[in-house]
């Protein structure tokens, strides 16, 4: 179990007047992706079949991700009583399929798998921090505060495991950079777009481009420069580079400009 449960959330403080309607569709989509965490934990246990200590950590991690999904789903149902999480999750599972039964990492090595996991936790910790800061509704703020703290802890536990793996496998900085870039690029793939579709468009055919744009437009609008700076510092650390030097400043500035450019294009397209 995680450090908190759904009973720790002050649901009675939910204030419908303070719900930002643009945040509801992305909270629903996030609830589906998070709730899929148990399947990924199963995959990690297969990859680390000879490491019972890490398997235990991975199972606990998976339970925490599922709880994130439950908390977001409950909030989304308060914000939109028509939201049927079970039906949406069934649509998501039916339409977005990954082979979680494989004992081989798609990243080519255990170290690569841990770099990819670090990238995901960097992304989620910054995303929920940005969502908390953007949200005016007090219950969503509290959920995001707790989730963001969990995601940061998840980053640390995968980073620790990465260190252990590197001692045996010796994946160099270039190899780690390659995995990190490919995982960042995957954030544009089907998972989030399909989750957005499954959560918000039960009566429409899936249009990946439209869903990806609709999700990204709402998500990118949440970020501020300090979120990006933190992301880049954590990313550089996972790759094995100095997190707070000149490289970090340049990479943060470039990433921020790229995000602004994309956000502006998506906003213009939606106008
Ligand atoms: Fe999570
Ligand atoms: Fe996480």
């Amino acid at each position: 179990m995680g450090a908190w449960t759904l009973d720790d959330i002050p649901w009675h403080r939910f204030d419908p007047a303070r719900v930002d309607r643009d945040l509801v569709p992305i909270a629903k989509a996030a609830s589906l992706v998070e709730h899929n965490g148990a399947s990924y934990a199963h995959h990690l246990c297969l990859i680390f079949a000879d490491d019972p200590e890490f398997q235990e950590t991975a199972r606990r991690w998976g339970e925490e991700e599922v709880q994130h999904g439950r908390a977001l789903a409950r909030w989304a149902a308060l914000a939109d009583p028509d939201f049927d999480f079970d039906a949406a999750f069934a649509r998501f599972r039916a339409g977005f399929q990954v082979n979680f039964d494989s004992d081989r990492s798609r990243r080519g090595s255990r170290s690569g798998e841990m770099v990819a996991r670090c990238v995901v936790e960097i992304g989620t910790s910054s995303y929920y921090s940005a969502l908390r800061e953007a949200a005016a509704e007090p219950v969503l703020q509290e959920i995001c505060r707790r989730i963001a703290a969990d995601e940061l802890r998840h980053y640390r536990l995968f980073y620790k495991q990465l260190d252990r793996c590197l001692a045996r496998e010796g994946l160099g900085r270039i190899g780690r950079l390659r995995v990190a870039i490919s995982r960042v690029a995957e954030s544009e793939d089907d998972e989030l777009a399909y989750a957005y579709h499954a959560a918000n468009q039960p009566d429409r055919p899936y249009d990946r481009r439209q869903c990806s744009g609709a999700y990204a437009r709402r998500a990118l609008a949440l970020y501020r420069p300090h979120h990006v700076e933190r992301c880049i510092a954590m990313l550089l650390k996972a790759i094995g580079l100095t997190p707070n030097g000149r490289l970090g400043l340049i990479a943060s500035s470039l990433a921020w400009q790229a995000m602004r450019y994309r956000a502006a294009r998506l906003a213009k397209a939606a106008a």
Side-chain angles (χ1 to χ4, degrees), residues 30 33-35 37 61 64-69 72 120-121 124-125 128 147-148 150-151 154:
V33 175
E34 295 277 356
H35 204 264
W61 162 80
E64 291 181 10
E65 299 297 7
V66 170
Q67 179 167 284
H68 297 169
L72 289 163
V120 172
E121 302 297 343
T124 52
S125 67
Y128 290 109
I147 296 181
D150 283 353
E151 310 295 22
H154 294 165

